[in-house]
């Protein structure tokens, strides 16, 4: 598969017709292909786009891609960004073009999307015990010798289910033992002794191959630098213990993987101290929210706030909505709601007001709630806001921003739309 498949499938996206499926796009563009509309380089504010409309900054997207490429290279990390953030194959390939080893995913249907667009290296940061999905992945492995797939295991029972589904397949499926982030955390094995039992179960099959260890430090209970570092040291020590016991014999490399978007500085620090093992180590970082970043949750916790000398990510999303009601001097409503804006962690943040082609800060305006199709605004005496004004809002948690929009305009700073990003959720 690979680049040729990707080129063909990405080209097919540009041949799709613009119609009622895609929110915010100009009604007079109906019938054009996505490629034809992109070639027109319309302006988001003056060329027929309707509100609400989500815009992705072209300049900020490029900045974030380049920053994480540089960061991973500087710290000797392979990078498999979590694609479930965007589920946008165009962005998968932009990440690969910026040095990514492959793409991390979480669910079998996400793997199907990635494979459809030629992604050859996939890390599934989840357990996989669904027999139908396992058989499909086994068929992909059998048909494509260049396809590399790795997933978690965290129980003997899970290993048994995987083995039963995969018997008779020609290529073993690569797995990593998932070490839990602590008692009461999410998935993963709680103790090193149990990790060894699961590793033994993997070794007893002919269908699975143990290639390393992994986990997610973002689930460490009451996470702080000390606790996260301590868990990461447990993870790397587990890799060293497995290697000493000969569990990785016959491999070309040992996979050690961690890294969400909150503690990748700790991952870089601890992974730099992994002692020499019997084989080269693939130090695989999986942070994914960086691609668009945000104005809320991740902006507060990004490691770059702790290590500013490494650079800074830029929020790349802005949701534009329009004031449709101003019932009192203290209240206003725009036409974007829960169907349009991420709200699971933080409410949108009023940033700018646009009227008659001019933008100004959204002084005295705060988003206090969301209905299905409305944003509730509280306004003070400082707020200069009228029905018909456009309100630009920053969003929190990119993972639940991408999934509300199937086709997202990629917009330059002057409002020129240069491309459209297709998502698959």
């Amino acid at each position: 598969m690979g680049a040729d498949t990707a080129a063909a499938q990405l080209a097919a996206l540009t041949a799709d017709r613009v119609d009622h499926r895609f929110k915010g796009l100009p009604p007079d563009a109906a019938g054009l292909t996505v490629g034809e509309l992109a070639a027109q380089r319309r302006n988001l504010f003056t060329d027929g786009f309707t509100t609400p409309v989500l815009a992705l900054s072209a300049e900020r997207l490029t900045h974030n891609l380049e920053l994480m490429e540089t960061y991973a290279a500087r710290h000797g990390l392979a990078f498999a960004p979590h694609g479930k953030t965007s589920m946008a194959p165009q962005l998968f390939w932009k990440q690969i073009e910026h040095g990514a080893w492959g793409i991390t995913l979480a669910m079998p249907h996400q793997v199907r999307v990635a494979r459809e667009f030629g992604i050859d290296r996939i890390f599934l940061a989840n357990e996989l015990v669904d027999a139908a999905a396992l058989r499909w992945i086994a068929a992909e492995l059998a048909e494509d010798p260049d396809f590399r797939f790795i997933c978690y295991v965290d129980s003997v029972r899970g290993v048994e289910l995987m083995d039963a589904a995969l018997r008779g397949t020609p290529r073993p499926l690569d797995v990593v033992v998932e070490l839990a982030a602590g008692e009461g955390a999410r998935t993963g094995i709680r103790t090193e002794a149990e990790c060894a039992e699961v590793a033994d179960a993997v070794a007893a099959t002919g269908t699975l191959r143990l290639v390393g260890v992994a986990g997610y430090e973002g689930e460490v209970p009451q996470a702080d630098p000390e606790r996260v570092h301590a868990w990461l040291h447990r993870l790397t020590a587990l890799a060293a213990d497995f290697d000493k016991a000969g569990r990785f014999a016959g491999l070309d490399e040992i996979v050690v993987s961690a890294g969400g978007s909150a503690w990748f500085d700790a991952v870089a620090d601890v992974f730099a101290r992994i002692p020499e093992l019997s084989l080269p180590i693939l130090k695989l970082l999986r942070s994914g929210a960086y691609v668009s970043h945000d104005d809320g949750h991740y902006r507060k916790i990004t490691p770059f706030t702790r290590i500013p000398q490494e650079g800074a990510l830029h929020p790349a999303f802005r949701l534009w909505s329009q004031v449709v009601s101003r019932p009192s001097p203290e209240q206003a409503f725009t036409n974007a709601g829960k169907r349009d804006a991420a709200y699971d962690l933080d409410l949108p943040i009023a940033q700018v007001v646009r009227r008659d082609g001019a933008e100004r800060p959204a002084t005295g305006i705060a988003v206090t709630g969301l209905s299905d199709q409305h944003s509730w605004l509280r306004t003070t005496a400082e707020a200069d806001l009228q029905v018909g004004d456009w309100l630009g809002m920053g969003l929190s948690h990119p993972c639940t921003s991408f999934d509300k929009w199937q086709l997202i305009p990629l917009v330059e700073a002057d409002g020129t739309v240069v491309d459209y990003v297709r998502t698959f959720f």
Side-chain angles (χ1 to χ4, degrees), residues 108 128-135 165:
L128 179 57
V129 296
D130 182 281
L134 284 162
R135 287 192 293 267

Side-chain angles (χ1 to χ4, degrees), residues 242-317:
F242 276 12
D243 184 46
K244 186 176 180 180
R247 296 187 184 278
F248 301 129
L251 300 180
D252 295 324
E253 63 185 4
I254 299 166
V255 178
V256 182
S257 180
S261 295
W263 296 101
F264 56 76
D265 56 333
V267 175
D269 183 31
V270 175
F271 279 18
R273 306 180 197 179
I274 299 177
E276 185 175 346
L277 302 182
S278 65
L279 296 166
I281 307 168
L282 182 69
K283 302 175 182 179
L284 198 59
L285 181 70
R286 306 192 308 269
S287 313
Y290 82 98
V291 68
S292 64
H293 198 40
D294 70 2
D295 280 290
H297 177 72
Y298 284 110
R299 192 170 194 174
K300 299 170 188 172
I301 64 172
T302 175
F304 289 120
T305 63
R306 298 187 290 271
I307 46 170
Q309 67 274 17
E310 297 267 19
L313 293 167
H314 294 166
F317 270 142

